[in-house]
Amino acid sequence: MITFDSGLFHLYNKEISYVMGVNSHGVLEHLYFGKKLSGFHRKNFISSPDYNFQFFDGKEFVNPDPFYENVTQTEVGSFLRNDLKPASFILEQDGDDLTDFRFAEYRIGGRNLYGEGIPHVRRLDQEDALEIICKDARRNVELHLFYTLLEENVLIRSAKIVNRTDGEIVLKRAMSLTLDLPFEEQRLIHFPGQWANERNFCKEELAFGLKTMYSLEGRSGHLENPFFILQSRDTTEDWGSCMSFNLVYSGNFKNEIFVSSFRGMRVNVGINDDNFSFRLKPGESFSAPEAILCFSDRGLNDLSATNHRLIQRHILPEKSQMRKPLLFNSWEGAGMDFSTESILRYMKKSKKIGTELFVLDDGWFSSRNDDRHGLGDWTVNRKKIDLKKIADACHELGMKFGIWIEPEMVNADTSLFRDENLIAHPDLEKRFSRNQLVLDFSNEAIVDGVLHQIADALKDIPVDYIKYDMNRYLGDVFSFHTAQGEIFHRYVLGVYRFMDGLLKIFPDILLENCASGGGRFDLGMLYFSPQIWCSDETDPVRRLYIQYGTSYGYPLQTMASHVSKAKGIYESKAMIAFFGTYGYEMNPTLLTKEEIEILRKFNRLYRLYHEDVIENGRFYRLSSPFESDFGAFMCVNDSKSTAIVLFHNLRKETNQYRFLKLKGLNKNIRYRWRDEIFTGDYLMNVGLNLSYFMEQNSTQIFLIRKTVKGGEK
Ligand code: GLA
C-alpha cells in the first residue's frame, strides 16, 4: 500500500513501513524505515533538532531558521548547500556543481524504468510503486525517485536524472539509494575477499565518520561484494532487527555509511563515482541501477531467506526454475591439453558418475593451447578437435553439451589486439594479467563483433550451456571510443548487451557466469545467468567459508560448486559441493573404484533430494565457521518432510558435549536420523548429539527424514 496524506508518504505491507515527508522548505525528508507502523506521529519526529542556540546577556538566542539539512534525515542529500553528509547526486553545468533537489510532484503506479536487456528486479502483479519527481533548485533538471514495495519485505529503489535545460550537464554522482537513519550503534556486516577466498563474513562496529566499501575493477569484484547488512547491536541469526542492501549492477559500486556527530547515519548505495562523469545533452536522461533494501525483525537467517526468495522470484531468468543438470567440467582434469579422443573418453567415463551436462572448458578455439594465445579469435581449432563430433557424441550418450567462452578478453597474438580496441592507455607499457588485456566493451561495435564471431563458431554445434568467464579486471583505464568518465559504466552496459544478445541467439541455453571464480557474483549477472562459479577454490574447508559467506545474500542454487580432482577428500568435497549446484571437475579416467562409489552415492542423494531440499527448500545457518570451531547449516524442503544438514568440525577436539539444534522442522513430525526416531521439537530444542564427531576437518552430511508412519501427531 502507498498513501499520501498531509505531506506524508507511507509505503507499507504486512511487515514493513517506509515513511517520507515533504517539509515547508520543499525538502523530502526521510522519516522511518523498519517494522510496519499503523500510523506516523509527524509532530513527535524532530527531523531537524533546534540545536543552534547561544546565550546573550542571560537570554537564550534561538536561531530563527531551525532547518539544517545537515541534521535532517533527507531522501536526497544535496551538495554544497548545508548538508555535510555524502551527497546523493552531483551535477555540474558550466563549472557549477551545487546540487539541490526539492520535491515537485508524485505519481502512484508502476512504471518500468529498464528494458529487458538491463538487469532489474522482475516485477510481479502485486507491486506497489511510487514515483516522486524533484526539481533542481536552480536548473531545469528533474530527479525521478522510484520506490517499489514487494510483498517479500523488500523495497526497490532507483533514480533517473533528466536534463531539461538547453545545455549539457555532467552527472558526477548518481546514487541509487540514500537512506538516513538514527545511529543506534548498528553493526555492519560486509563480505570482503580476494581470488580463491571470496565473501568473508566481516562484522564491524560502526563509529563516527565514513566507511566506504567499493569496487574500482570494472566489475563487482573479488575484493568486496555489493551486498551488505546493518544489524542492531545484539541481533543474532534468529532474533533481532537487521536490514540488507544490494545493487542490481555488475560494475564499480560504492556503498557508504556515514555516522555524523549528531548521531545520524546516512547510507548511500550506487555506482562508484570515482572516475564517473556522465554527460547528458538536452533531453537526455540517466537511469541509476536498482538498489534493494530488505528488512527483518527476526534475525539474519530470516533476512537471508528474504534475499533468497527475492532472487529466486524476481532476479533469476524465468526458465531457471527447472532442476539444474548435474554438470561435469573438463577444466581441472584436462586444462587445455586435450584431443577429440581424450574428451570422448572423459565423456563416457563421466556418464558413469551420473553426469547430465558435459562442459568443455577453455582451449577449444584458435591457437589456445595455453593462456598466452587465442583469446579474441573465436574460431574452432579444427586441428585440435572436432567440436561437432564431440557435441553430437555427448548428446548420443544422453547428456547435454556445454562450452566455455571469455568474450571480453584478448591475447596479443590475435587480430583484435590493436590499441583502438583495448582498455589500455596508449602511452603506457601494456600490463597483462594472465597474459591478456581487456577489450573495449564500452564500444558496442566491439561487443557485437565478438558476439558475431562466437555465434558463428557455434552455429552448427548443439550447445545447451555456456560458461561465460572474465579473468582479469580493468586497469590502465582508457578508451579511444568513450570519454574517460563514462568508460566503466558503458563497459558494463556492453557486457549486458553481450549477454542479452547471446541469450537471444541461444535462447534455450543455461548460462553460467564466472570471473576467476566468484569475481562477479552479483545481481546483474544473476539476471542473465542463474548460477555463478562461486570460487576457483575447491578445497572443502576454504569452500565452506566461501559458501557460508555467500549464503547471507544469495541462494544456494546460484552457487556453482563442483567436486574437484584432489585425491583423498572426495567425500568432504562432495558434501560441500552438494550445498551448491553440485557437479564434477576432475579427470574421470583416473578415478578409482572406491572414488566412483563415493560419487555414485552422492549422485543418488542428488537425484533424490537436491531439487526438493537444496534448490527449492529453506536454508538455515546453524553455526558459523567464522565465529566458532565448527561450521553447520541445513536445508528443509517445503513440506518439512526432509532436511539435510552439513556439519564440519574445524579442529580436533577432546571429549566434550556438542549438540546441534536444528531449525525449520515441523515440531510434531517424527523424523529418522541414523537409526533413531526423534520428534521435530526434540531436534530443534535438544538437537543432534554430535559429541562423537571431534576429528579435525571432518565433514558430515546428515539426512533427516520423516518416518513412514511418523506423520504429525
Ligand atoms: C578461470 C575459471 C576456471 C576456468 C579457467 C579457464 O580461471 O575460473 O574455472 O574456466 O578460467 O581458463
Side-chain angles (χ1 to χ4, degrees):
M1 268 301 283
I2 297 175
T3 59
F4 182 64
D5 188 17
S6 317
L8 215 62
F9 290 100
H10 189 178
L11 291 75
Y12 62 91
N13 62 18
K14 276 187 247 134
E15 303 272 350
I16 58 176
S17 279
Y18 191 96
V19 185
M20 298 173 273
V22 183
N23 73 14
S24 57
H25 302 261
V27 170
L28 190 59
E29 293 186 8
H30 177 76
L31 303 175
Y32 176 79
F33 173 58
K35 195 161 174 59
K36 194 206 158 186
L37 300 174
S38 49
F40 194 81
H41 300 278
R42 181 80 167 100
K43 280 204 186 120
N44 174 59
F45 194 90
I46 306 170
S47 59
S48 181
D50 182 9
Y51 75 100
N52 193 1
F53 64 88
Q54 298 173 23
F55 289 91
F56 293 103
D57 299 331
K59 274 196 258 151
E60 190 182 307
F61 170 78
V62 178
N63 191 314
D65 181 354
F67 175 66
Y68 291 90
E69 283 162 282
N70 196 32
V71 289
T72 305
Q73 295 188 172
T74 62
E75 280 292 303
V76 184
S78 66
F79 184 61
L80 297 185
R81 281 237 62 196
N82 60 16
D83 187 346
L84 307 178
K85 303 181 286 291
S88 311
F89 297 89
I90 302 177
L91 53 97
E92 181 188 299
Q93 194 166 42
D94 304 324
D96 171 357
D97 55 8
L98 185 149
T99 307
D100 183 18
F101 283 106
R102 304 272 158 139
F103 175 81
E105 52 181 306
Y106 74 96
R107 293 180 204 136
I108 293 179
R111 272 192 31 185
N112 212 345
L113 242 191
Y114 306 91
E116 270 311 302
I118 303 290
H120 60 274
V121 179
R122 298 171 210 269
R123 314 289 204 259
L124 299 179
D125 292 342
Q126 71 275 25
E127 73 201 39
D128 280 319
L130 168 69
E131 178 178 354
I132 293 180
I133 303 165
C134 299
K135 293 233 161 92
D136 185 80
R138 299 169 305 132
R139 298 167 290 205
N140 196 6
V141 178
E142 284 171 9
L143 166 65
H144 297 240
L145 298 170
F146 298 92
Y147 301 81
T148 305
L149 197 57
L150 300 182
E151 62 172 17
E152 292 94 348
N153 302 338
V154 177
L155 183 70
I156 302 152
R157 302 256 321 250
S158 64
K160 181 167 93 167
I161 294 276
V162 189
N163 178 10
R164 301 218 183 274
T165 72
D166 301 333
E168 186 173 279
I169 61 170
V170 181
L171 192 57
K172 289 162 60 179
R173 169 173 267 238
M175 287 291 154
S176 299
L177 168 152
T178 289
L179 182 67
D180 282 2
L181 301 163
F183 177 53
E184 290 159 350
E185 293 174 36
Q186 289 94 335
R187 302 291 189 254
L188 163 70
I189 301 173
H190 62 120
F191 301 91
Q194 53 184 241
W195 175 75
N197 180 19
E198 292 90 341
R199 291 171 294 284
N200 287 281
F201 173 92
C202 178
K203 185 149 130 191
E204 290 176 23
E205 274 184 38
L206 289 165
F208 297 108
L210 180 62
K211 168 87 188 175
T212 307
M213 293 156 293
Y214 68 92
S215 152
L216 201 52
E217 301 178 35
R219 59 184 181 185
S220 48
H222 293 88
L223 303 181
E224 189 57 85
N225 192 268
F227 178 79
F228 69 98
I229 296 171
L230 291 178
Q231 63 154 72
S232 296
R233 194 167 46 182
D234 300 326
T235 293
T236 65
E237 284 288 359
D238 300 302
W239 181 89
S241 64
C242 42
M243 55 182 79
S244 66
F245 302 80
N246 209 342
L247 191 66
V248 190
Y249 193 59
S250 309
N252 294 345
F253 65 88
K254 186 180 257 185
N255 295 326
E256 292 177 324
I257 302 162
F258 178 72
V259 179
S260 80
S261 312
F262 305 99
R263 294 187 71 78
M265 181 160 82
R266 168 163 294 172
V267 181
N268 274 333
V269 172
I271 292 178
N272 190 346
D273 56 341
D274 299 341
N275 193 32
F276 174 83
S277 55
F278 215 87
R279 288 161 309 162
L280 296 179
K281 296 204 180 68
E284 284 186 343
S285 63
F286 180 89
S287 297
E290 288 180 330
I292 292 174
L293 184 57
C294 301
F295 175 82
S296 173
D297 65 343
R298 292 188 289 269
L300 299 171
N301 262 322
D302 187 62
L303 189 69
S304 292
T306 301
N307 278 282
H308 295 182
R309 257 194 318 272
L310 171 86
I311 293 171
Q312 285 159 340
R313 289 190 195 161
H314 299 277
I315 298 282
L316 300 183
E318 274 156 39
K319 282 191 202 137
S320 67
Q321 298 313 334
M322 65 215 179
R323 181 173 82 78
K324 301 273 172 54
L326 203 163
L327 186 158
F328 183 99
N329 181 297
S330 67
W331 176 248
E332 287 204 19
M336 298 183 211
D337 184 13
F338 53 78
S339 61
T340 305
E341 287 63 42
S342 69
I343 290 298
L344 291 177
R345 277 198 299 278
Y346 263 53
M347 285 190 329
K348 281 183 198 137
K349 269 283 186 181
S350 75
K351 173 83 184 162
K352 296 212 160 99
I353 47 171
T355 300
E356 295 165 326
L357 161 64
F358 183 91
V359 179
L360 182 58
D361 206 277
D362 198 354
W364 57 270
F365 55 93
S366 187
S367 51
R368 186 91 174 150
N369 292 318
D370 57 53
D371 62 13
R372 291 191 307 281
H373 301 103
L375 286 172
D377 171 17
W378 294 99
T379 48
V380 178
N381 183 351
R382 291 184 202 281
K383 279 195 233 138
K384 183 172 176 179
I385 47 156
D386 184 339
L387 193 57
K388 176 91 168 72
K389 183 172 174 187
I390 289 175
D392 287 342
C394 189
H395 283 162
E396 275 157 29
L397 283 167
M399 298 187 291
K400 295 183 170 178
F401 180 70
I403 200 132
W404 176 96
I405 57 173
E406 194 179 6
E408 294 158 71
M409 299 295 153
V410 66
N411 286 123
D413 69 337
T414 55
S415 61
L416 266 182
F417 193 87
R418 290 194 305 273
D419 273 357
E420 66 272 26
N421 294 338
L422 304 175
I423 296 283
H425 205 291
D427 302 342
L428 292 170
E429 168 207 355
K430 296 204 168 27
R431 265 189 300 198
F432 290 81
S433 170
R434 211 191 187 217
N435 300 302
Q436 62 200 48
L437 283 185
V438 182
L439 285 171
D440 185 0
F441 261 41
S442 74
N443 180 351
E444 291 182 352
I446 293 182
V447 174
D448 295 349
V450 178
L451 179 61
H452 180 77
Q453 274 197 58
I454 291 176
D456 214 41
L458 299 178
K459 71 174 183 302
D460 299 323
I461 314 294
V463 176
D464 305 295
Y465 158 106
I466 292 181
K467 175 173 167 191
Y468 181 130
D469 209 340
M470 193 256 193
N471 280 315
R472 63 157 293 170
Y473 61 88
L474 279 59
D476 297 333
V477 175
F478 178 87
S479 158
F480 276 89
H481 180 265
T482 307
Q484 186 72 10
E486 301 186 10
I487 297 174
F488 279 122
H489 183 62
R490 291 201 187 277
Y491 184 93
V492 177
L493 296 181
V495 172
Y496 293 155
R497 182 182 175 88
F498 186 96
M499 287 198 288
D500 190 47
L502 191 70
L503 287 170
K504 287 202 169 101
I505 298 171
F506 302 100
D508 298 321
I509 54 161
L510 170 63
L511 188 61
E512 174 166 330
N513 252 279
C514 174
S516 297
R520 209 152 53 174
F521 209 111
D522 60 62
L523 300 179
M525 289 291 134
L526 287 173
Y527 178 86
F528 295 103
S529 71
Q531 57 196 52
I532 300 177
W533 182 228
C534 204
S535 176
D536 279 344
E537 177 62 271
T538 50
D539 169 81
V541 184
R542 290 294 334 143
R543 262 282 175 153
L544 173 74
Y545 286 92
I546 293 166
Q547 292 180 207
Y548 200 95
T550 308
S551 78
Y552 282 87
Y554 304 93
L556 301 188
Q557 64 174 184
T558 63
M559 300 181 206
S561 340
H562 302 160
V563 187
S564 69
K565 71 174 176 183
K567 272 207 133 189
I569 38 174
Y570 271 118
E571 193 141 16
S572 312
K573 287 189 170 191
M575 290 177 192
I576 305 280
F578 196 81
F579 280 79
T581 56
Y582 196 64
Y584 310 117
E585 191 151 342
M586 76 270 291
N587 182 343
T589 63
L590 299 181
L591 288 171
T592 62
K593 258 186 166 174
E594 293 73 43
E595 287 165 347
I596 292 181
E597 235 355 274
I598 293 173
L599 296 178
R600 284 211 175 121
K601 186 175 94 189
F602 278 92
N603 179 17
R604 279 193 293 277
L605 205 62
Y606 177 86
R607 271 161 219 285
L608 284 170
Y609 304 116
H610 198 267
E611 185 181 11
D612 185 33
V613 184
I614 306 291
E615 292 174 40
N616 295 322
R618 164 92 194 251
F619 170 79
Y620 295 89
R621 285 177 298 271
L622 305 177
S623 171
S624 171
F626 292 98
E627 295 178 308
S628 75
D629 296 336
F630 64 100
F633 42 71
M634 66 182 284
C635 287
V636 189
N637 66 351
D638 269 358
S639 67
K640 296 179 188 278
S641 63
T642 311
I644 301 183
V645 182
L646 182 121
F647 169 80
H648 181 93
N649 196 38
L650 287 163
R651 62 166 203 217
K652 171 106 178 71
E653 298 290 352
T654 47
N655 296 349
Q656 55 178 263
Y657 289 122
R658 182 179 276 171
F659 288 88
L660 184 68
K661 291 178 187 162
L662 304 189
K663 294 177 186 167
L665 301 175
N666 180 329
K667 66 181 166 60
N668 296 321
I669 285 184
R670 275 199 284 272
Y671 295 92
R672 183 183 297 278
W673 176 49
R674 307 196 136 195
D675 285 329
E676 287 188 59
I677 313 270
F678 303 86
T679 54
D681 63 351
Y682 182 93
L683 292 175
M684 291 192 289
N685 293 300
V686 179
L688 304 178
N689 185 354
L690 301 186
S691 311
Y692 308 105
F693 299 102
M694 295 298 177
E695 285 309 309
Q696 181 179 15
N697 283 341
S698 56
T699 320
Q700 306 287 332
I701 204 167
F702 302 125
L703 178 66
I704 315 281
R705 296 223 55 211
K706 177 176 160 178
T707 57
V708 181
K709 290 194 229 141
E712 291 188 41
K713 274 195 260 169

